[in-house]
Amino acid sequence: MDVRARGGTGRSAEWALRAAGPGDVEVIAELRAVVLRPDLERLGRFDEQRVRQRLRDSFSPRYTSVIEAGGTFAGCVTVRPAGDGWLLEHFYLAAALQGRGLGSAVLRTLLERTDAEGAAVRLNVLRGSAARRLYERHGFTVEAQDAVDVFMVRRPGAPALGA
């Protein structure tokens, strides 16, 4: 899925998605460690090395986009083919940019494209994570959960709840 985009919302700065390259892996791994730390600590699962290595092991520049806001690195998102649709993973925004509408703007752009294909989107989010509310506002529903993760799906054209 080509996810190059440019946009802006009333609350978020101008933003763009660009294709990730192999040189982006370390900055993305570090962002992942910083963003996930509070939830992983709460769940008793934080490990300084493992949190970064899991990103390195699954990093795919082909399916990953870097999010830039105001011309600087703001986050990343991976959307890769999976079964009957797409798997959304590694969607991280710098903490200073969270809660300003940027995540919703990026997610809305991605979902417009998957809806146009008639494809479902799946993801998992850590239990108790505030990110779950973002996904629910955009039409994701719970498929299953375990002690650590909540597995969610969004069917094509699912209505957004005031996103």
Side-chain angles (χ1 to χ4, degrees):
M1 170 188 295
D2 178 6
V3 291
R4 287 175 285 182
R6 299 191 77 72
T9 68
R11 294 184 331 162
S12 66
E14 286 294 313
W15 62 273
L17 293 175
R18 69 160 172 84
D24 292 311
V25 68
E26 290 306 318
V27 70
I28 292 172
E30 185 60 29
L31 176 64
R32 179 180 197 270
V34 170
V35 170
L36 292 184
R37 184 176 192 135
D39 284 329
L40 289 172
E41 284 180 340
R42 178 180 42 78
L43 294 167
R45 312 257 320 170
F46 184 76
D47 177 288
E48 282 282 346
Q49 284 73 43
R50 185 170 184 236
V51 69
R52 291 169 179 84
Q53 193 59 48
R54 286 191 65 165
L55 182 285
R56 291 179 192 117
D57 291 346
S58 67
F59 183 68
S60 174
R62 178 177 179 185
Y63 299 112
T64 301
S65 296
V66 168
I67 303 164
E68 295 178 337
T72 62
F73 177 80
C76 62
V77 62
T78 300
V79 183
R80 70 175 80 224
D84 65 344
W86 297 95
L87 178 63
L88 188 149
E89 57 186 359
H90 303 308
F91 187 14
Y92 311 119
L93 286 178
L97 298 172
Q98 294 176 12
R100 297 181 176 192
L102 178 58
S104 282
V106 171
L107 190 55
R108 193 169 27 255
T109 297
L110 298 174
L111 295 176
E112 286 170 1
R113 292 171 186 194
T114 59
D115 282 353
E117 295 177 5
V121 179
R122 286 186 165 74
L123 59 82
N124 65 286
V125 64
L126 292 170
R127 286 186 80 130
S129 172
R132 178 176 170 176
R133 290 189 302 276
L134 169 71
Y135 298 128
E136 288 173 338
R137 285 194 312 269
H138 286 272
F140 284 85
T141 58
V142 175
E143 267 191 313
Q145 51 190 315
D146 61 25
V148 176
D149 291 304
V150 177
F151 300 90
M152 303 181 82
V153 63
R154 183 184 181 276
R155 305 281 176 213
L161 307 172

